[in-house]
Amino acid sequence: MDGLVEFKTEDGVRVVVEGVEDEDGARLVSRGDGPARAARTFEDSLDGVRAAAASALRVFRDGSLRPDAVELEFGVKLSAEAGAVIAKGSAEGHLVVRLSWSPEPSPARAEPEPASTRPATPDAAALS
């Protein structure tokens, strides 16, 4: 199991996550008892993932597909040094995209005009 990494939020709240191993197999070691401390805030660590999500949304919303809804799912690993990393899944990076469209509303039917309250036959006075 990887070691623990402690992040602080911009509000000063402590967030502890399971850390990831470096590509070379190196691991961060905490100084003393407890998790290794991250160099950046939790929010700063997620900036790259936020930018990737915004970029992906632009690709799917601005293209010719024009979906009604776009759902993105990123696998994210957190590292004390690198911050947030899009996690490796079954492919090279883990990203699931779901696009959805609502059915086209059927054309509005023409409402029948209400029946007239006047008599169907002309008034004798109007004919003279």
Side-chain angles (χ1 to χ4, degrees), residues 24-66:
D24 300 328
R27 292 174 156 239
L28 287 170
V29 179
S30 65
R31 296 179 184 188
D33 296 334
R37 289 203 169 83
R40 302 184 324 180
T41 66
F42 187 69
E43 292 86 353
D44 287 343
S45 296
L46 293 172
D47 277 345
V49 176
R50 181 184 356 216
S55 182
L57 282 174
R58 272 193 307 278
V59 166
F60 292 109
R61 286 187 175 156
D62 296 344
S64 61
L65 295 175
R66 302 271 185 216

Side-chain angles (χ1 to χ4, degrees), residues 52-74 95-101:
S55 182
L57 282 174
R58 272 193 307 278
V59 166
F60 292 109
R61 286 187 175 156
D62 296 344
S64 61
L65 295 175
R66 302 271 185 216
D68 293 323
V70 177
E71 182 180 328
L72 301 173
E73 177 183 318
F74 287 88
L95 171 64
V96 176
V97 179
R98 289 182 185 87
L99 307 176
S100 63
W101 293 264

